[in-house]
């Protein structure tokens, strides 16, 4: 899937591991340990929507809503995605989300972290057709502070996903991946890639 960072959000580090062999030459081969995804990003090649910059190992979406970059790695059935980002000033407003794309089984979904000025939650988007704040994965989270690094760890094992935010459990879900959905505006060129 994709990583979506709203305006003024900076991605510092993102790792995934382990990987399985993929026949596509554009997709990295298996690794013994985690793969640093930020180091593999090429702007504009991996930009799906929005204006992105990659400077000094930091990926940033400059302006606009629903900015989207597809991280250059295909995931196996079981994987762990660790993402470190910081919300910059002025990024919390109505509908302000950080969205991390996940593949569960052969289905895509988005882990949404809302930083709307009125509500703070985490959840899987479009579970049974319902947004994260209306489905069983809805979890209240602490507000993200401007300029402070936040670490999100998503672990996917078969049809089970667990999410930790800064070391605290946040979202836990297990079920039929066919229950997961994806809004058309989150669509990306390769459903296997992060």
């Amino acid at each position: 899937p994709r990583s979506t960072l709203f305006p003024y959000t900076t991605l510092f580090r993102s790792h995934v591991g382990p990987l399985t062999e993929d026949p596509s030459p554009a997709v990295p081969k298996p690794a013994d340990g985690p793969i640093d995804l930020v180091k593999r990003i090429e702007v504009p090649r991996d930009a799906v929507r929005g204006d992105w910059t990659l400077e000094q190992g930091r990926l940033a979406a400059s302006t606009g809503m629903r900015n989207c970059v597809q991280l250059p790695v295909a995931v196996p059935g079981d994987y762990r995605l660790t993402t470190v980002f910081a919300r910059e000033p002025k990024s919390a407003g109505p509908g302000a989300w950080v969205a991390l794309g996940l593949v569960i089984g052969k289905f895509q979904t988005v882990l949404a972290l809302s930083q709307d000025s009125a509500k703070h939650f985490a959840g899987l988007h479009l579970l049974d057709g319902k947004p994260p704040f209306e489905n069983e994965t809805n979890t209240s989270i602490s507000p993200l502070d401007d300029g402070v690094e936040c670490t999100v760890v998503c672990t996917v094992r078969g049809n089970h996903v667990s999410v930790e935010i800064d070391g605290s459990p946040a979202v836990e879900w297990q079920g039929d991946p066919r229950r997961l959905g994806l809004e058309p505006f989150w669509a990306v060129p390769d459903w296997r890639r992060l």
Side-chain angles (χ1 to χ4, degrees):
R2 84 289 326 128
S3 174
T4 301
L5 302 170
F6 282 95
Y8 313 106
T9 302
T10 301
L11 177 67
F12 295 113
R13 293 180 297 283
S14 190
H15 296 85
V16 67
L19 299 178
T20 60
E21 183 111 16
D22 187 293
S24 170
V27 177
K29 298 298 181 208
D32 293 330
I35 292 176
D36 184 337
L37 299 172
V38 175
K39 287 183 179 178
R40 294 180 183 265
I41 292 172
E42 291 182 23
V43 176
R45 177 196 72 188
D46 299 316
V48 176
R49 240 178 343 279
D51 295 320
W52 293 86
T53 58
L54 182 60
E55 295 175 1
Q56 299 177 340
R58 295 179 177 193
L59 179 68
S62 56
T63 61
M65 297 293 285
R66 298 186 181 126
N67 293 324
C68 182
V69 66
Q70 185 164 39
L71 301 177
V73 68
V75 294
D78 297 342
Y79 64 96
R80 175 171 289 136
L81 173 67
T82 302
T83 304
V84 180
F85 65 91
R87 189 185 75 171
E88 300 299 325
K90 301 179 187 173
S91 66
W97 289 11
V98 172
L100 302 175
L102 300 173
V103 175
I104 303 171
K106 292 187 177 183
F107 295 86
Q108 294 182 344
T109 192
V110 170
L111 170 69
L113 304 172
S114 173
Q115 289 302 300
D116 187 300
S117 54
K119 53 191 168 208
H120 309 281
F121 65 82
L124 298 178
H125 193 51
L126 287 190
L127 177 61
D128 295 327
K130 298 176 184 173
F133 50 88
E134 292 180 1
N135 70 47
E136 65 195 70
T137 65
N138 180 20
T139 305
S140 292
I141 61 172
S142 299
L144 300 177
D145 293 323
D146 289 347
V148 176
E149 288 187 9
C150 176
T151 301
V152 178
V153 178
C154 302
T155 302
V156 176
R157 289 190 179 101
N159 66 346
H160 178 255
V161 61
S162 62
V163 178
E164 290 183 2
I165 300 173
D166 289 331
S168 297
V171 174
E172 192 84 24
W173 181 79
Q174 183 169 346
D176 185 343
R178 291 178 292 187
R179 294 175 56 201
L180 301 169
L182 191 66
E183 295 279 5
F185 54 76
W186 295 126
V188 292
D190 185 346
W191 69 268
R192 301 164 304 155
R193 287 176 39 200
L194 293 173

